[in-house]
Amino acid sequence: MELLSLEEHQARSLLIHHRWDVDRVLQLLIEKGRDKLYAEVGVTIIDHDDIILPELSSMIECNICFDNVSASEVTAMDCGHFFCNSCWTQHFIVKINEGQSRRIRCMAPQCNAVCDDVKIRHLVSMHNPNLAEKFDRFLFESYIEDNKRVKWCPSVPHCGNAIRVQDDELCEVECACGIQFCFSCLSEAHSPCSCIMWELWSKKCEDESETVNWITVHTKPCPKCHKPIEKNGGCNLVCCVCGQAFCWLCGGATGREHTWTTIANHSCGRYKEDHFKKTGRAKRDLERYVHYYNRYKAHLDSFKLESDLKEVINGKISTLEERDSKSKDFTWIMNGLHILFRSRRILSATYPFAYYMFGDELLKDEMKDKEKEIKKNLFENQQQQFEGNVEKLSLFLGEEFELYNDNEIMDLRMRIIAVSVSTDNLCRNLYDHIENDLLGSLTWTVHRIAPYKSRGVLRSS
């Protein structure tokens, strides 16, 4: 308002149109000029002395309803157009109920001007005070919902908080309520997976796609009732519960009579390459998915179990303090615990990342088979080292150190500090490898991930 000499509703319209990005507004002001910038948004700057209204005692005709009304029942907007208060009010009510209240435009044909929200609020409140409150709430929430650097916390039930980031919106944050989430897609924190990878993985884990895949591999549809049938014997003449007999080899309907070599009314000795290729591919895809899912789930389960470790460790520290131990500073063990939590979550997400990075579902044409195999081996070597250190740190933190003497506590302290530093370094190296060597080398697609933070996700103040 001060910089551009605008009224509040005009400044708000300008910011809403450009998603509350002040730098972007100032850049466009220099590139396009004031008049063009305002015209695109619908901000009209007219001296109110230039707007000629009839005398208050006179009667005028409204160009919307064509009724003759007193001049005192007429309202003019910044653009200079004026209509009767009744038509304005109905226009505003319709727009607010349609959810378009953030930038309600003038009713005049071909007029792009945004109406003054003070006048909107005044007219609507006289007709429906509750709707006026709804209008105010929409304006307030536009700062969050239209602002790329402000997001509602996705907690369920909702905590009522919103988070604003200062710099890059591609980051992972922690709300004051304790939930951690990706600021870009509002999913749970998922780095080093990109948002697209995580969306695909979440859908794959939630829906029944792999169940359908298993059915494709292990069953055949009955040619009569079309229900999936699983063979429970060695004979290739299968009988469905509906009574239909069919050949397991090709799925064709047959008679019930058969010999060692033939089935009545049926013969299928021809090799059908496409069918067997499809079945074999479906089986391989399923086995590959199960491999990555089992490891992802195992580390996720470990992360949930280790979440209770903080309370247990605080209890052990209290026991040592009551015992009057020489060790008074236990920040090293709490720091190790923090690194364990962060590393375990990241480790679990490396498996969905590897599933899509080295598979054919998302990045099929990005790498040749030989290049893919080399990069896959390099990634898995780093992943394996990182995984080994995470397990070692978990083992050390789970020791019954409340029973140790002072020398044993000092030994544990050195071990935990050493493994914590090593784990943090391995995690950073794995991030660099993923961000620069793997995702950074992609040609046809762009996958960005939240930058590595040694202290974990950004916490809201």
Side-chain angles (χ1 to χ4, degrees):
M1 289 171 62
E2 293 177 2
L3 185 65
L4 302 179
S5 301
L6 295 173
E7 295 183 18
E8 182 178 333
H9 72 281
Q10 294 169 335
R12 184 188 292 112
S13 296
L14 200 61
L15 288 167
I16 289 175
H17 183 80
H18 294 289
R19 297 180 64 83
W20 295 87
D21 190 339
V22 178
D23 294 336
R24 176 66 176 163
V25 173
L26 297 179
Q27 179 186 348
L28 292 174
L29 179 66
I30 296 170
E31 293 176 358
K32 296 184 176 181
R34 190 182 299 257
D35 294 340
K36 190 172 182 180
L37 176 66
Y38 289 176
E40 288 178 352
V41 177
V43 171
T44 306
I45 309 297
I46 295 180
D47 190 342
H48 287 280
D49 295 335
D50 295 338
I51 300 177
I52 302 175
L53 290 173
E55 297 291 334
L56 292 177
S57 59
S58 63
M59 302 292 290
I60 62 172
E61 182 183 65
C62 172
N63 289 334
I64 298 296
C65 63
F66 300 107
D67 286 347
N68 290 320
V69 295
S70 169
S72 61
E73 295 296 317
V74 171
T75 299
M77 294 298 163
D78 293 343
C79 55
H81 295 117
F82 52 87
F83 304 102
C84 73
N85 291 346
S86 177
C87 287
W88 277 123
T89 303
Q90 293 304 315
H91 173 65
F92 296 150
I93 288 173
V94 169
K95 293 298 181 182
I96 293 171
N97 286 328
E98 288 178 351
Q100 302 178 30
S101 59
R102 291 168 190 172
R103 288 189 301 157
I104 300 178
R105 300 191 183 276
C106 175
M107 291 189 292
Q110 299 180 345
C111 181
N112 194 41
V114 177
C115 298
D116 186 342
D117 55 68
V118 175
K119 295 177 180 178
I120 296 173
R121 189 180 300 106
H122 172 70
L123 292 175
V124 173
S125 62
M126 291 192 298
H127 183 272
N128 188 338
N130 291 332
L131 199 62
E133 291 180 9
K134 184 178 180 180
F135 171 71
D136 282 335
R137 188 171 69 253
F138 279 150
L139 288 182
F140 173 73
E141 290 177 351
S142 74
Y143 177 72
I144 298 172
E145 295 175 2
D146 296 325
N147 193 334
K148 67 179 183 178
R149 292 188 177 175
V150 181
K151 299 279 180 71
W152 288 113
C153 172
S155 57
V156 179
H158 189 229
C159 64
N161 295 332
I163 308 274
R164 180 179 62 196
V165 296
Q166 298 296 334
D167 300 312
D168 192 357
E169 61 270 20
L170 184 66
C171 60
E172 292 173 339
V173 297
E174 180 179 314
C175 177
C177 71
I179 187 172
Q180 296 182 353
F181 62 95
C182 170
F183 193 81
S184 179
C185 67
L186 298 182
S187 299
E188 59 190 286
H190 54 70
S191 61
C193 280
S194 67
C195 294
I196 296 173
M197 288 177 176
W198 190 254
E199 181 183 359
L200 292 172
W201 180 258
S202 299
K203 187 176 185 301
K204 197 173 192 70
C205 294
E206 288 173 3
D207 65 17
E208 296 182 352
S209 60
E210 295 310 321
T211 303
V212 173
N213 208 345
W214 188 93
I215 290 173
T216 302
V217 174
H218 295 91
T219 69
K220 299 284 180 68
C222 170
K224 181 180 178 182
C225 68
H226 305 293
K227 290 181 180 178
I229 306 298
E230 184 180 12
K231 189 159 75 87
N232 61 358
C235 181
N236 286 319
L237 178 65
V238 180
C239 186
C240 178
V241 291
C242 71
Q244 176 64 53
F246 65 95
C247 174
W248 181 259
L249 298 177
C250 70
T254 70
R256 286 178 174 273
E257 300 297 326
H258 71 104
T259 67
W260 290 108
T261 56
T262 61
I263 302 174
N265 306 324
H266 181 68
S267 176
C268 65
R270 298 182 181 275
Y271 175 68
K272 298 179 180 179
E273 185 174 2
D274 290 343
H275 171 75
F276 287 104
K277 277 186 176 180
K278 183 178 178 181
T279 304
R281 185 167 59 249
K283 187 174 182 180
R284 287 194 303 273
D285 290 344
L286 176 62
E287 290 173 349
R288 184 173 182 272
Y289 166 76
V290 169
H291 168 84
Y292 285 103
Y293 177 80
N294 285 342
R295 283 150 184 80
Y296 158 75
K297 186 70 166 56
H299 287 296
L300 197 62
D301 290 343
S302 296
F303 174 75
K304 292 176 181 177
L305 291 171
E306 288 165 347
S307 299
D308 300 328
L309 202 56
K310 185 175 182 179
E311 187 176 344
V312 174
I313 286 178
N314 281 329
K316 293 178 179 180
I317 292 174
S318 299
T319 301
L320 287 173
E321 289 173 343
E322 291 172 2
R323 204 180 69 187
D324 196 23
S325 171
K326 291 182 181 179
S327 300
K328 301 296 182 183
D329 181 16
F330 293 97
T331 54
W332 51 272
I333 198 167
M334 300 310 294
N335 182 57
L337 190 63
H338 170 71
I339 291 176
L340 174 64
F341 291 161
R342 175 175 53 84
S343 300
R344 183 72 79 178
R345 185 201 61 75
I346 291 171
L347 182 58
S348 68
T350 60
Y351 286 97
F353 169 81
Y355 178 80
Y356 288 108
M357 186 71 213
F358 306 112
D360 295 332
E361 190 169 336
L362 186 63
L363 305 173
K364 183 178 180 180
D365 299 323
E366 288 286 354
M367 292 178 283
K368 294 182 179 179
D369 291 343
K370 187 176 180 180
E371 180 189 5
K372 183 186 293 185
E373 190 63 26
I374 292 172
K375 289 187 174 182
K376 179 171 173 287
N377 289 333
L378 288 172
F379 169 81
E380 288 176 346
N381 288 340
Q382 292 199 44
Q383 184 190 43
Q384 191 173 4
Q385 284 183 305
F386 179 45
E387 188 172 25
N389 272 259
V390 171
E391 298 299 346
K392 191 183 294 184
L393 183 59
S394 178
L395 180 65
F396 290 165
L397 289 169
E399 291 186 17
E400 302 292 334
F401 63 86
E402 77 277 13
L403 304 176
Y404 290 177
N405 58 40
D406 290 336
N407 291 333
E408 289 173 327
I409 290 176
M410 287 302 296
D411 176 65
L412 178 65
R413 178 178 181 272
M414 297 304 296
R415 284 186 285 137
I416 287 181
I417 290 175
V419 176
S420 297
V421 172
S422 176
T423 303
D424 187 52
N425 289 335
L426 287 169
C427 188
R428 180 184 284 104
N429 293 339
L430 185 61
Y431 253 83
D432 290 341
H433 179 63
I434 289 172
E435 193 168 14
N436 300 319
D437 300 336
L438 296 177
L439 296 179
S441 65
L442 298 179
T443 305
W444 307 107
T445 55
V446 177
H447 289 264
R448 295 178 63 207
I449 60 174
Y452 178 77
K453 301 286 184 182
S454 185
R455 298 179 62 183
V457 301
L458 300 171
R459 287 178 171 79
S460 61
S461 58

